[in-house]
Coordinates of all heavy atoms in Angstrom, one line a residue:
M579 N 0.8 -1.2 0.0 CA 0.0 0.0 0.0 C 0.9 1.2 0.0 O 1.9 1.3 0.6 CB -0.9 0.0 1.2 CG -2.1 -0.8 1.1 SD -3.3 -0.6 2.4 CE -2.6 -1.6 3.7
P580 N 0.5 2.3 -0.7 CA 1.3 3.5 -0.8 C 1.2 4.3 0.5 O 0.2 4.2 1.3 CB 0.7 4.2 -2.0 CG -0.7 3.7 -2.2 CD -0.7 2.3 -1.6
T581 N 2.2 5.1 0.7 CA 2.2 6.1 1.8 C 1.8 7.5 1.3 O 2.4 7.9 0.3 CB 3.6 6.1 2.4 OG1 4.0 4.8 2.8 CG2 3.7 7.0 3.6
Y582 N 0.9 8.1 2.0 CA 0.4 9.4 1.6 C 0.8 10.4 2.7 O 0.9 10.1 3.9 CB -1.1 9.5 1.4 CG -1.5 8.6 0.3 CD1 -2.0 7.3 0.5 CD2 -1.5 9.0 -1.0 CE1 -2.4 6.5 -0.5 CE2 -1.9 8.2 -2.1 CZ -2.3 7.0 -1.8 OH -2.7 6.2 -2.9
L583 N 1.2 11.6 2.2 CA 1.6 12.7 3.2 C 0.4 13.6 3.5 O -0.3 14.1 2.5 CB 2.7 13.5 2.5 CG 3.3 14.6 3.4 CD1 3.9 14.1 4.7 CD2 4.3 15.4 2.6
F584 N 0.1 13.8 4.7 CA -1.0 14.7 5.1 C -0.4 15.8 6.0 O 0.7 15.6 6.6 CB -2.0 13.9 5.9 CG -2.9 13.1 5.0 CD1 -2.6 11.8 4.7 CD2 -4.1 13.6 4.6 CE1 -3.4 11.0 3.8 CE2 -4.9 12.8 3.8 CZ -4.6 11.5 3.4
S585 N -1.1 16.8 6.1 CA -0.6 17.9 7.0 C -1.8 18.4 7.9 O -2.9 18.7 7.4 CB -0.2 19.1 6.1 OG 0.2 20.2 6.8
C586 N -1.5 18.5 9.2 CA -2.4 19.0 10.1 C -2.0 20.5 10.4 O -0.8 20.8 10.4 CB -2.2 18.2 11.5 SG -3.2 19.0 12.8
T587 N -3.0 21.4 10.5 CA -2.7 22.8 10.7 C -2.0 23.1 12.0 O -1.4 24.1 12.2 CB -4.0 23.6 10.5 OG1 -4.9 23.1 11.5 CG2 -4.5 23.5 9.1
V588 N -2.2 22.2 13.0 CA -1.7 22.4 14.3 C -0.4 21.6 14.5 O 0.7 22.1 15.0 CB -2.7 22.0 15.4 CG1 -2.1 22.2 16.8 CG2 -3.9 22.8 15.3
C589 N -0.4 20.3 14.1 CA 0.7 19.4 14.5 C 1.8 19.3 13.4 O 2.9 18.8 13.6 CB 0.2 18.0 14.8 SG -1.0 18.1 16.1
G590 N 1.4 19.6 12.1 CA 2.3 19.5 11.0 C 2.1 18.2 10.2 O 1.0 17.7 10.2
A591 N 3.1 17.8 9.5 CA 3.0 16.7 8.5 C 3.1 15.4 9.2 O 3.8 15.2 10.2 CB 4.1 16.9 7.4
F592 N 2.4 14.4 8.6 CA 2.5 13.0 9.0 C 2.2 12.1 7.8 O 1.5 12.5 6.9 CB 1.5 12.7 10.2 CG 0.0 12.9 9.9 CD1 -0.7 11.8 9.4 CD2 -0.6 14.1 10.0 CE1 -2.1 12.0 9.1 CE2 -1.9 14.3 9.7 CZ -2.7 13.3 9.3
D593 N 2.7 10.9 7.9 CA 2.5 9.9 6.8 C 1.3 9.0 7.2 O 1.1 8.7 8.4 CB 3.7 9.1 6.6 CG 4.9 9.9 6.0 OD1 4.6 10.8 5.3 OD2 6.0 9.5 6.3
L594 N 0.6 8.5 6.2 CA -0.5 7.6 6.4 C -0.5 6.6 5.3 O -0.4 6.9 4.1 CB -1.8 8.4 6.3 CG -3.0 7.8 6.9 CD1 -2.8 7.5 8.4 CD2 -4.2 8.7 6.8
I595 N -0.4 5.3 5.7 CA -0.5 4.2 4.7 C -1.9 3.8 4.6 O -2.6 3.4 5.6 CB 0.4 3.1 5.2 CG1 1.9 3.5 5.4 CG2 0.3 1.9 4.3 CD1 2.8 2.5 6.0
R596 N -2.4 3.8 3.3 CA -3.8 3.4 3.1 C -3.9 2.9 1.6 O -3.0 3.2 0.8 CB -4.7 4.6 3.3 CG -4.4 5.8 2.6 CD -5.4 6.9 2.7 NE -6.1 7.1 3.9 CZ -6.9 8.1 4.2 NH1 -7.1 9.0 3.2 NH2 -7.5 8.2 5.3
P597 N -4.9 2.2 1.3 CA -5.1 1.7 0.0 C -5.3 2.9 -1.0 O -5.7 3.9 -0.6 CB -6.4 0.9 0.0 CG -6.6 0.6 1.5 CD -6.0 1.7 2.2
M598 N -4.9 2.6 -2.3 CA -5.0 3.7 -3.3 C -6.5 4.1 -3.5 O -6.8 5.2 -3.8 CB -4.5 3.2 -4.6 CG -2.9 3.0 -4.6 SD -2.3 2.4 -6.1 CE -2.4 3.9 -7.1
S599 N -7.4 3.2 -3.2 CA -8.8 3.5 -3.4 C -9.3 4.5 -2.4 O -10.3 5.2 -2.6 CB -9.7 2.3 -3.3 OG -9.5 1.6 -2.0
E600 N -8.5 4.7 -1.3 CA -8.9 5.7 -0.2 C -7.9 6.9 -0.2 O -7.9 7.6 0.8 CB -8.9 5.0 1.1 CG -9.8 3.8 1.3 CD -9.7 3.1 2.6 OE1 -9.1 3.7 3.5 OE2 -10.2 2.0 2.7
S601 N -7.2 7.1 -1.3 CA -6.2 8.1 -1.4 C -6.8 9.5 -1.2 O -6.2 10.4 -0.6 CB -5.4 8.1 -2.7 OG -6.3 8.4 -3.7
G602 N -8.1 9.7 -1.7 CA -8.7 11.0 -1.6 C -9.6 11.2 -0.4 O -10.2 12.3 -0.2
A603 N -9.7 10.2 0.4 CA -10.6 10.2 1.6 C -10.0 11.2 2.6 O -8.8 11.3 2.7 CB -10.8 8.8 2.1
P604 N -10.9 11.9 3.3 CA -10.3 12.7 4.4 C -9.7 11.9 5.5 O -10.0 10.8 5.8 CB -11.6 13.5 4.9 CG -12.7 12.6 4.5 CD -12.3 11.9 3.3
A605 N -8.7 12.6 6.1 CA -8.0 11.9 7.2 C -8.0 12.8 8.4 O -8.1 14.1 8.3 CB -6.6 11.6 6.8
E606 N -7.8 12.2 9.6 CA -7.7 13.1 10.8 C -6.3 12.9 11.4 O -5.7 11.8 11.2 CB -8.8 12.7 11.8 CG -8.8 11.4 12.3 CD -9.9 11.1 13.3 OE1 -11.0 11.8 13.2 OE2 -9.7 10.4 14.3
C607 N -5.8 13.9 12.0 CA -4.5 13.9 12.6 C -4.4 12.8 13.7 O -5.3 12.8 14.5 CB -4.2 15.3 13.1 SG -2.6 15.4 14.0
P608 N -3.4 12.0 13.7 CA -3.3 11.0 14.8 C -3.0 11.6 16.2 O -3.2 10.9 17.2 CB -2.1 10.1 14.3 CG -1.3 10.9 13.4 CD -2.3 11.9 12.8
S609 N -2.5 12.8 16.2 CA -2.2 13.5 17.5 C -3.4 14.2 18.1 O -3.8 14.1 19.2 CB -1.1 14.4 17.3 OG 0.1 13.7 16.9
C610 N -4.1 15.1 17.2 CA -5.1 15.9 17.8 C -6.5 15.6 17.2 O -7.5 16.2 17.6 CB -4.8 17.4 17.5 SG -4.8 17.8 15.8
A611 N -6.6 14.7 16.3 CA -7.8 14.2 15.7 C -8.5 15.3 14.9 O -9.7 15.2 14.6 CB -8.8 13.6 16.7
R612 N -7.9 16.4 14.5 CA -8.5 17.4 13.6 C -8.4 16.9 12.2 O -7.5 16.1 11.9 CB -7.7 18.7 13.8 CG -7.9 19.3 15.1 CD -7.1 20.6 15.2 NE -7.1 21.0 16.6 CZ -7.1 22.3 17.0 NH1 -7.2 23.2 16.1 NH2 -7.1 22.6 18.3
P613 N -9.2 17.4 11.3 CA -9.1 17.1 9.9 C -7.8 17.5 9.3 O -7.3 18.7 9.6 CB -10.3 17.8 9.2 CG -11.0 18.5 10.3 CD -10.3 18.3 11.6
A614 N -7.2 16.7 8.5 CA -5.9 17.0 7.9 C -6.1 17.0 6.4 O -6.9 16.2 5.9 CB -4.8 16.1 8.3
R615 N -5.3 17.8 5.7 CA -5.4 17.8 4.2 C -4.2 17.1 3.6 O -3.1 17.1 4.2 CB -5.5 19.2 3.7 CG -4.2 20.0 3.9 CD -4.3 21.4 3.3 NE -3.2 22.2 3.6 CZ -2.0 22.1 2.9 NH1 -1.9 21.3 1.9 NH2 -1.0 22.9 3.3
R616 N -4.5 16.4 2.5 CA -3.4 15.7 1.9 C -2.5 16.6 1.1 O -2.9 17.6 0.5 CB -4.0 14.7 0.9 CG -3.0 13.8 0.2 CD -3.6 12.8 -0.6 NE -2.6 12.2 -1.5 CZ -2.8 11.7 -2.7 NH1 -4.0 11.6 -3.1 NH2 -1.8 11.2 -3.4
V617 N -1.2 16.4 1.2 CA -0.2 17.1 0.6 C 0.4 16.3 -0.6 O 0.8 15.1 -0.4 CB 1.0 17.5 1.5 CG1 2.1 18.3 0.9 CG2 0.4 18.3 2.7
L618 N 0.5 16.9 -1.8 CA 1.0 16.1 -2.9 C 2.5 16.2 -2.8 O 3.1 17.3 -2.7 CB 0.5 16.7 -4.2 CG -1.0 16.5 -4.4 CD1 -1.4 17.1 -5.7 CD2 -1.4 15.0 -4.4
A619 N 3.2 15.1 -2.9 CA 4.6 15.0 -2.9 C 5.1 14.0 -3.9 O 4.3 13.3 -4.5 CB 5.1 14.7 -1.5
A620 N 6.4 13.9 -4.0 CA 7.0 12.9 -4.9 C 6.6 11.5 -4.4 O 6.6 11.3 -3.2 CB 8.5 13.1 -4.9
P621 N 6.2 10.6 -5.3 CA 5.8 9.3 -4.9 C 7.0 8.5 -4.3 O 8.1 8.6 -4.8 CB 5.3 8.7 -6.2 CG 5.9 9.4 -7.3 CD 6.2 10.8 -6.8
A622 N 6.7 7.7 -3.3 CA 7.7 6.9 -2.7 C 7.6 5.5 -3.4 O 7.0 4.6 -2.9 CB 7.5 6.8 -1.2
L623 N 8.3 5.4 -4.5 CA 8.2 4.2 -5.3 C 9.2 3.1 -4.8 O 10.2 3.5 -4.3 CB 8.5 4.4 -6.8 CG 7.6 5.4 -7.5 CD1 8.1 5.7 -8.9 CD2 6.2 4.9 -7.5
R624 N 8.8 1.9 -4.8 CA 9.6 0.8 -4.3 C 10.2 0.1 -5.5 O 9.6 -0.9 -6.0 CB 8.8 -0.1 -3.4 CG 8.3 0.6 -2.2 CD 7.7 -0.3 -1.2 NE 8.9 -0.8 -0.5 CZ 8.8 -1.6 0.5 NH1 7.6 -2.1 0.9 NH2 9.8 -2.0 1.2
S625 N 11.3 0.5 -6.0 CA 11.9 -0.1 -7.2 C 13.1 -0.9 -6.8 O 14.0 -1.1 -7.6 CB 12.2 1.0 -8.2 OG 13.2 1.9 -7.7
L626 N 13.1 -1.4 -5.6 CA 14.3 -2.2 -5.2 C 14.2 -3.6 -5.7 O 13.0 -4.1 -6.0 CB 14.3 -2.3 -3.7 CG 14.5 -0.9 -3.0 CD1 14.4 -1.1 -1.5 CD2 15.9 -0.3 -3.3
P627 N 15.3 -4.3 -5.9 CA 15.2 -5.8 -6.3 C 14.4 -6.5 -5.2 O 14.5 -6.2 -4.0 CB 16.7 -6.2 -6.3 CG 17.4 -4.9 -6.5 CD 16.6 -3.9 -5.8
T628 N 13.8 -7.6 -5.6 CA 12.9 -8.4 -4.7 C 13.7 -8.9 -3.5 O 13.2 -8.8 -2.3 CB 12.3 -9.6 -5.4 OG1 11.6 -9.1 -6.6 CG2 11.3 -10.3 -4.6
G629 N 14.9 -9.4 -3.6 CA 15.6 -9.9 -2.5 C 16.0 -8.9 -1.5 O 15.9 -9.0 -0.3
L630 N 16.4 -7.7 -2.0 CA 16.8 -6.6 -1.2 C 15.6 -6.1 -0.4 O 15.6 -5.8 0.8 CB 17.5 -5.5 -2.0 CG 17.9 -4.2 -1.2 CD1 18.8 -4.6 -0.1 CD2 18.5 -3.2 -2.1
R631 N 14.4 -6.0 -1.1 CA 13.2 -5.5 -0.5 C 12.8 -6.4 0.6 O 12.4 -6.0 1.7 CB 12.1 -5.4 -1.6 CG 10.8 -4.8 -1.0 CD 9.7 -4.7 -1.9 NE 10.1 -4.4 -3.3 CZ 9.5 -5.0 -4.3 NH1 8.5 -5.9 -4.2 NH2 9.9 -4.8 -5.5
S632 N 12.8 -7.7 0.4 CA 12.4 -8.7 1.4 C 13.3 -8.6 2.6 O 12.9 -8.8 3.8 CB 12.2 -10.1 0.9 OG 13.4 -10.5 0.4
A633 N 14.6 -8.4 2.3 CA 15.6 -8.3 3.4 C 15.4 -7.1 4.3 O 15.4 -7.1 5.5 CB 17.0 -8.3 2.9
L634 N 15.1 -6.0 3.6 CA 14.8 -4.7 4.3 C 13.5 -4.8 5.1 O 13.4 -4.3 6.2 CB 14.7 -3.5 3.3 CG 16.0 -3.1 2.7 CD1 15.8 -2.1 1.7 CD2 17.0 -2.6 3.8
D635 N 12.5 -5.5 4.5 CA 11.2 -5.7 5.2 C 11.4 -6.6 6.5 O 10.9 -6.3 7.6 CB 10.2 -6.3 4.3 CG 9.6 -5.4 3.3 OD1 9.9 -4.2 3.5 OD2 9.0 -5.8 2.3
A636 N 12.3 -7.6 6.3 CA 12.6 -8.5 7.5 C 13.3 -7.7 8.6 O 13.1 -7.9 9.8 CB 13.4 -9.7 7.0
Q637 N 14.2 -6.8 8.1 CA 15.0 -6.0 9.1 C 14.0 -5.1 9.9 O 14.1 -5.0 11.1 CB 16.0 -5.1 8.3 CG 16.7 -4.2 9.2 CD 17.6 -3.2 8.5 OE1 17.4 -3.0 7.3 NE2 18.4 -2.5 9.2
H638 N 13.0 -4.5 9.2 CA 12.1 -3.6 9.9 C 11.2 -4.4 10.8 O 10.9 -3.9 11.9 CB 11.2 -2.8 8.9 CG 12.0 -1.8 8.1 ND1 12.5 -0.7 8.7 CD2 12.3 -1.7 6.8 CE1 13.2 0.1 7.9 NE2 13.1 -0.5 6.7
R639 N 10.8 -5.6 10.4 CA 10.0 -6.4 11.2 C 10.7 -6.9 12.5 O 10.2 -6.9 13.6 CB 9.5 -7.7 10.5 CG 8.2 -7.5 9.7 CD 7.7 -8.9 9.3 NE 8.6 -9.8 8.7 CZ 9.0 -9.8 7.4 NH1 8.4 -9.0 6.6 NH2 9.9 -10.7 7.0
S640 N 12.0 -7.2 12.3 CA 12.8 -7.7 13.4 C 13.1 -6.6 14.4 O 13.5 -6.9 15.6 CB 14.1 -8.4 13.0 OG 14.9 -7.4 12.4
A641 N 13.0 -5.3 14.1 CA 13.2 -4.3 15.0 C 12.2 -4.3 16.1 O 12.5 -4.0 17.3 CB 13.2 -2.9 14.3
D642 N 11.0 -4.6 15.8 CA 9.9 -4.7 16.8 C 9.7 -6.1 17.4 O 9.3 -6.3 18.5 CB 8.6 -4.1 16.3 CG 8.7 -2.7 15.9 OD1 9.5 -2.0 16.6 OD2 8.1 -2.3 15.0
L643 N 9.9 -7.1 16.5 CA 9.6 -8.5 16.9 C 10.7 -9.4 16.4 O 10.5 -10.0 15.4 CB 8.2 -8.8 16.3 CG 7.5 -10.1 16.8 CD1 7.1 -9.9 18.2 CD2 6.3 -10.4 15.9
P644 N 11.8 -9.4 17.1 CA 12.9 -10.2 16.6 C 12.6 -11.7 16.7 O 11.9 -12.2 17.6 CB 14.1 -9.8 17.6 CG 13.4 -9.3 18.8 CD 12.1 -8.7 18.4
D645 N 13.2 -12.4 15.8 CA 13.1 -13.9 15.8 C 14.0 -14.4 17.0 O 15.0 -13.9 17.3 CB 13.7 -14.5 14.5 CG 12.8 -14.2 13.3 OD1 11.6 -13.9 13.5 OD2 13.3 -14.2 12.2
V646 N 13.4 -15.5 17.6 CA 14.1 -16.1 18.7 C 14.7 -17.4 18.2 O 14.0 -18.2 17.6 CB 13.1 -16.4 19.9 CG1 13.9 -17.1 21.0 CG2 12.5 -15.1 20.4
V647 N 16.0 -17.6 18.4 CA 16.7 -18.8 18.0 C 17.2 -19.5 19.2 O 17.5 -18.9 20.3 CB 17.9 -18.5 17.1 CG1 17.4 -17.9 15.8 CG2 18.9 -17.6 17.7
T648 N 17.3 -20.8 19.1 CA 17.8 -21.6 20.3 C 19.1 -22.2 20.0 O 19.7 -22.8 20.9 CB 16.8 -22.8 20.6 OG1 16.6 -23.6 19.4 CG2 15.4 -22.2 21.0
S649 N 19.6 -22.1 18.8 CA 21.0 -22.7 18.5 C 21.6 -21.8 17.4 O 20.9 -21.1 16.6 CB 20.9 -24.1 18.0 OG 20.1 -24.2 16.9
P650 N 22.9 -21.9 17.3 CA 23.6 -21.1 16.2 C 23.2 -21.7 14.8 O 22.9 -22.9 14.8 CB 25.0 -21.2 16.5 CG 25.2 -22.4 17.4 CD 23.9 -22.5 18.1
P651 N 23.3 -20.9 13.8 CA 23.0 -21.5 12.4 C 24.1 -22.5 12.1 O 25.2 -22.5 12.5 CB 23.1 -20.3 11.5 CG 23.9 -19.3 12.3 CD 23.7 -19.5 13.7
P652 N 23.7 -23.5 11.2 CA 24.7 -24.6 10.9 C 25.8 -24.0 10.0 O 25.6 -23.0 9.3 CB 23.9 -25.6 10.0 CG 22.7 -24.7 9.6 CD 22.4 -23.7 10.6
R653 N 27.0 -24.6 10.2 CA 28.1 -24.2 9.4 C 27.9 -24.6 7.9 O 27.4 -25.7 7.7 CB 29.4 -24.8 9.9 CG 29.8 -24.2 11.3 CD 31.1 -24.8 11.7 NE 31.5 -23.9 12.9 CZ 32.7 -23.5 13.0 NH1 33.6 -23.7 12.0 NH2 33.1 -22.7 14.0
T654 N 28.3 -23.7 7.1 CA 28.1 -24.0 5.6 C 29.3 -24.6 5.0 O 29.3 -24.9 3.8 CB 27.7 -22.7 4.9 OG1 28.7 -21.8 5.1 CG2 26.4 -22.2 5.4
G655 N 30.4 -24.9 5.7 CA 31.6 -25.5 5.1 C 32.8 -24.8 5.6 O 32.8 -23.9 6.5
R656 N 33.9 -25.1 5.0 CA 35.2 -24.6 5.5 C 35.3 -23.1 5.0 O 34.9 -22.8 3.9 CB 36.3 -25.4 4.9 CG 37.6 -25.0 5.5 CD 38.7 -26.0 5.1 NE 39.9 -25.5 5.7 CZ 41.1 -26.1 5.5 NH1 41.1 -27.3 4.8 NH2 42.2 -25.7 6.0
V657 N 35.8 -22.3 5.8 CA 36.0 -20.9 5.5 C 37.2 -20.8 4.6 O 38.3 -21.2 4.9 CB 36.1 -20.0 6.7 CG1 36.4 -18.6 6.4 CG2 34.9 -20.1 7.6
Q658 N 37.0 -20.2 3.4 CA 38.2 -20.0 2.5 C 38.9 -18.7 2.9 O 38.3 -17.7 3.1 CB 37.6 -19.9 1.1 CG 37.0 -21.1 0.6 CD 38.0 -22.1 0.1 OE1 39.1 -21.7 -0.3 NE2 37.7 -23.4 0.2
R659 N 40.2 -18.9 3.0 CA 41.0 -17.7 3.3 C 41.4 -17.1 1.9 O 41.9 -17.8 1.0 CB 42.2 -18.1 4.1 CG 41.9 -18.4 5.5 CD 43.1 -18.8 6.3 NE 44.2 -17.8 6.0 CZ 45.3 -17.8 6.7 NH1 45.4 -18.6 7.7 NH2 46.2 -16.9 6.5
R660 N 41.3 -15.8 1.8 CA 41.7 -15.2 0.6 C 43.1 -14.6 0.7 O 43.4 -13.8 1.6 CB 40.7 -14.1 0.3 CG 40.9 -13.5 -1.1 CD 39.8 -12.5 -1.4 NE 40.1 -12.0 -2.7 CZ 39.3 -11.1 -3.3 NH1 38.2 -10.7 -2.7 NH2 39.6 -10.7 -4.5
V661 N 44.0 -15.1 -0.1 CA 45.4 -14.6 -0.1 C 45.6 -13.6 -1.2 O 45.4 -13.9 -2.4 CB 46.3 -15.8 -0.3 CG1 47.8 -15.3 -0.3 CG2 46.1 -16.8 0.8
T662 N 45.9 -12.4 -0.8 CA 46.1 -11.4 -1.8 C 47.6 -11.1 -1.9 O 48.0 -10.5 -2.9 CB 45.4 -10.0 -1.3 OG1 45.9 -9.7 -0.1 CG2 43.9 -10.2 -1.3
D663 N 48.4 -11.5 -0.9 CA 49.9 -11.3 -1.0 C 50.5 -12.7 -0.6 O 50.2 -13.2 0.4 CB 50.3 -10.2 0.0 CG 51.7 -9.9 -0.1 OD1 52.5 -10.7 -0.6 OD2 52.0 -8.7 0.3
P664 N 51.4 -13.2 -1.5 CA 52.0 -14.5 -1.2 C 52.8 -14.5 0.1 O 53.0 -15.6 0.7 CB 52.9 -14.8 -2.4 CG 53.0 -13.5 -3.1 CD 51.9 -12.6 -2.7
R665 N 53.2 -13.4 0.7 CA 53.9 -13.4 1.9 C 52.9 -13.8 3.1 O 53.4 -14.2 4.1 CB 54.5 -12.0 2.2 CG 55.6 -11.7 1.2 CD 56.1 -10.3 1.4 NE 55.1 -9.4 1.1 CZ 55.2 -8.1 1.1 NH1 56.4 -7.5 1.5 NH2 54.3 -7.2 0.7
Q666 N 51.6 -13.7 2.9 CA 50.7 -14.0 3.9 C 50.8 -15.6 4.2 O 50.5 -16.0 5.3 CB 49.2 -13.7 3.5 CG 49.0 -12.2 3.5 CD 47.6 -11.9 3.0 OE1 46.9 -12.7 2.4 NE2 47.1 -10.7 3.3
L667 N 51.1 -16.4 3.2 CA 51.2 -17.8 3.4 C 52.3 -18.2 4.3 O 52.3 -19.3 4.9 CB 51.4 -18.5 2.0 CG 50.3 -18.3 1.0 CD1 50.6 -18.9 -0.3 CD2 49.0 -19.0 1.6
R668 N 53.3 -17.3 4.5 CA 54.5 -17.7 5.4 C 54.2 -17.2 6.8 O 55.0 -17.5 7.7 CB 55.7 -17.0 4.9 CG 56.2 -17.7 3.6 CD 57.5 -17.1 3.1 NE 57.1 -15.8 2.5 CZ 57.9 -15.0 1.8 NH1 59.1 -15.3 1.6 NH2 57.4 -13.9 1.4
L669 N 53.1 -16.5 7.1 CA 52.8 -16.0 8.4 C 52.4 -17.2 9.3 O 51.9 -18.2 8.8 CB 51.7 -15.0 8.4 CG 52.0 -13.7 7.7 CD1 50.7 -12.8 7.6 CD2 53.1 -12.9 8.5
P670 N 52.7 -17.1 10.6 CA 52.4 -18.3 11.5 C 50.8 -18.4 11.6 O 50.1 -17.4 11.5 CB 53.0 -17.8 12.8 CG 53.2 -16.4 12.7 CD 53.4 -16.1 11.3
R671 N 50.4 -19.7 11.7 CA 49.0 -20.0 11.8 C 48.6 -20.0 13.3 O 49.4 -20.4 14.2 CB 48.7 -21.4 11.2 CG 49.1 -21.4 9.8 CD 48.0 -20.9 8.9 NE 48.3 -21.1 7.5 CZ 48.8 -20.1 6.7 NH1 48.9 -18.9 7.2 NH2 49.1 -20.4 5.4
P672 N 47.3 -19.7 13.6 CA 46.9 -19.8 15.0 C 46.8 -21.3 15.4 O 46.6 -22.1 14.7 CB 45.6 -19.1 15.0 CG 45.1 -19.1 13.6 CD 46.3 -19.2 12.7
Ligands
ZN1101 ZN1 -2.9 17.6 14.7

């Protein structure tokens, strides 16, 4: 659902998420409950790739309701060390 910008004469601007079919419907300020008028602004388009968008949505969801885990995630295999300088191979190993 799109986000619309409204302006209250007392409290100022606020965002409201509502269906497009209700874009022209009157709104009331969430702080003082007075009628607010819609302000036309640049559209907040979501043109992100699907994977990035779902990751950002999960990040926002986890801010309020984090997932609870009981064990660490499984290891995916041996960690590859990237050698950019051959002198790194002669350094002592831990
Ligand atoms: Zn207000």
